[in-house]
Amino acid sequence: MFEHVAPYAGDPIFRVAAQYQADPREKKVNLTIGLYFEDDGSVPLLACTQIAEQRWAEQKQPRVYLSMEGLESYRNATQQLVFGADHEAYLSQRIATIQTLGGTGALKVGGDLLHEAYPTSQMWISDPAWDNHHSIFGGCGITTNKYRYFDPQTQAVDFTGMMADLDTLPEYSFVLLHPCCHNPTGADLSVEQWDELIVLLQQKKLIPFLDMAYQGFGQGLDEDAYAIRAMASAGLEFLVANSFSKNFSYYAERCGALSVVCKDKAAAELTLGKLKAWVRKIYSNPPVHGGAAIAMVLTDDELYQSWVNDVAAMRARIHTMRQAVHQQLAQLAPHYDADYMIKQQGMFSYTGLSLEQILRLREEFGVYMLDSGRISIPGLTTENVEYYAQSLAAVV
Ligand code: LMR
């Protein structure tokens, strides 16, 4: 039936993660997929979610359908976390939020809504990108393009190139942005650059779509949401996808949200209706288990504090590993510029290695990073960090 359809080449991230799993060598390092590992190499199950899951199980709630938009408490707590409980946009109820199937689900519903409302508009995505952004929005029927983002020379954002590219876009073009911890480069805009960009977006009447999958992994939960809050304060109308996969270590529960910041409460109500219509067409309504636990954590003072501490510990461990690699490479390979380890932030960094070097690392040393040279920092631990630095030094 499907012989005429092109075979699936596999996902560039999951494919290398599977290669790592299949490698029988004992000594190997997994820097592929964006998963947070503890220093002992395990993926944490946070105490706050365990307690919340147990409390919820004890309530013995019947599993009736949720509404299309999801749990009210989850949606409300998400708005407070992403926008800030004292933000005017939140207080005036001009944000329409739905519970989604991870951040990916939020991008899909948002993409469908955008394409329905602006069928001729195209999407601009950072170069380089999280590859799935092109796939998701392409799947919504949106033509995707790239804007300049990363300068390998400075290992930082090519802000001049980015602004120049966005300046040429037609009105109502969609612009995909990462508020923090850019995936795949780890290079983020400064507060001043965000402020400058917001002016441009407003002047050119562009429609921003902000994808925040790593809130709390950069500078802090509030700091990482700067761009979102500043954009809402400036009066822009835009979309935000956020994910709890990483900062709750809750990948398999598929918990995320899509928020649309509107000009007023009436517009938000109308938008919520449109979002519900899309959800009904795609998957009808979200599952309850993970969402109920997250809502419980975010609305209980003690559990919330425990979670904030967990996120701070994850952020600190990533920071420590960045410093450790940087220090070791300064000695082992002084000719190789590893400043990106301390200049960039969040889960990922771009090593700037060639494909040949990347393949050598895999084959000779069992060190797995993506073909693009992206590394997921939490795959590094006290135990393997020296081995990683030595392996890298051997190929550069
Ligand atoms: C990643 O970029 O590794 C993560 O966001 C996982 C994924 O779904 O690609």
Side-chain angles (χ1 to χ4, degrees), residues 227-356:
I228 296 171
R229 297 174 187 185
M231 230 174 249
S233 298
L236 273 78
E237 293 174 88
F238 62 102
L239 292 80
V240 181
N242 78 286
S243 167
F244 294 115
S245 295
K246 330 280 171 171
N247 57 15
F248 267 86
S249 192
Y250 229 30
Y251 311 89
E253 292 294 343
R254 309 308 300 139
C255 289
L258 173 64
S259 296
V260 186
V261 181
C262 303
K263 69 174 191 299
D264 56 29
K265 188 178 171 190
E269 276 165 13
L270 178 92
T271 303
L272 186 64
K274 298 298 295 177
L275 292 172
K276 284 160 66 169
W278 274 107
V279 167
R280 181 65 170 145
K281 270 187 266 193
I282 308 174
Y283 56 86
S284 213
N285 38 59
V288 71
H289 181 265
I294 285 183
M296 224 178 257
V297 172
L298 292 179
T299 55
D300 177 291
D301 287 346
E302 226 169 285
L303 294 181
Y304 180 73
Q305 199 46 55
S306 159
W307 174 66
V308 169
N309 295 343
D310 285 336
V311 176
M314 294 193 252
R315 182 170 63 246
R317 200 182 92 66
I318 293 174
H319 187 72
T320 306
M321 286 302 121
R322 285 182 172 280
Q323 301 276 349
V325 172
H326 183 252
Q327 267 171 21
Q328 300 209 10
L329 282 173
Q331 308 205 322
L332 295 168
H335 59 285
Y336 170 71
D337 182 1
D339 281 356
Y340 60 83
M341 286 304 280
I342 49 170
K343 278 198 216 157
Q344 300 165 0
Q345 63 172 5
M347 207 151 197
F348 307 114
S349 258
Y350 241 32
T351 56
L353 298 187
S354 67
L355 186 59
E356 198 188 339

Side-chain angles (χ1 to χ4, degrees), residues 11-23 28-37 130-131 183-184 214 246 251 347-351 358 361-362 366-380 384 388:
D11 179 83
I13 297 175
F14 279 84
R15 183 174 45 77
V16 190
Q19 272 175 25
Y20 166 83
Q21 292 300 346
D23 188 330
K28 52 180 184 171
V29 184
N30 182 8
L31 309 177
T32 60
I33 198 161
L35 272 182
Y36 178 83
F37 297 96
W130 180 54
D131 295 290
N183 181 2
Y214 304 91
K246 330 280 171 171
Y251 311 89
M347 207 151 197
F348 307 114
S349 258
Y350 241 32
T351 56
I358 292 163
L361 277 171
R362 260 181 232 166
V367 171
Y368 286 76
M369 63 180 69
L370 301 189
D371 289 357
S372 61
R374 186 194 84 170
I375 50 170
S376 181
I377 313 281
L380 296 168
N384 70 19
Y388 170 67

